[in-house]
Amino acid sequence: MDMTQCPECGLVAEVVWRDVLESTDGPVEHARITCADKHWFLLPVASLETAVGAPVGSRPDLAC
C-alpha cells in the first residue's frame, strides 16, 4: 500500500490507483489518491510525496 500526503489538508492519503496516461509530451504515470477527509486527486506520480516527505515509489533502503 502506497501512502502519500493530501495536497489539500496535509493528512495521510492512500494511493488507490496508478496508470500511465498519454500526454502531448509522452506517457506520464498518474495516481489517484484519497485521504481520510475524503479529498481525492488525480496527479502525476512525480508530484506526490510520502507521509515522510520522499517521493512515492522512492526506496531509500535500496539507494546505491
Side-chain angles (χ1 to χ4, degrees):
M1 175 182 337
D2 283 338
M3 302 304 284
T4 188
Q5 186 174 7
C6 177
E8 186 167 328
C9 66
L11 292 176
V12 174
E14 179 183 0
V15 177
V16 294
W17 175 87
R18 281 179 176 235
D19 203 0
V20 176
L21 303 176
E22 294 297 325
S23 75
T24 56
D25 290 332
V28 178
E29 185 178 15
H30 283 72
R32 182 177 187 263
I33 64 169
T34 304
C35 78
D37 277 347
K38 301 185 182 182
H39 302 129
W40 67 270
F41 298 89
L42 180 63
L43 303 166
V45 169
S47 68
L48 299 179
E49 293 185 8
T50 62
V52 294
V56 167
S58 121
R59 297 280 312 264
D61 56 326
L62 297 178
C64 296

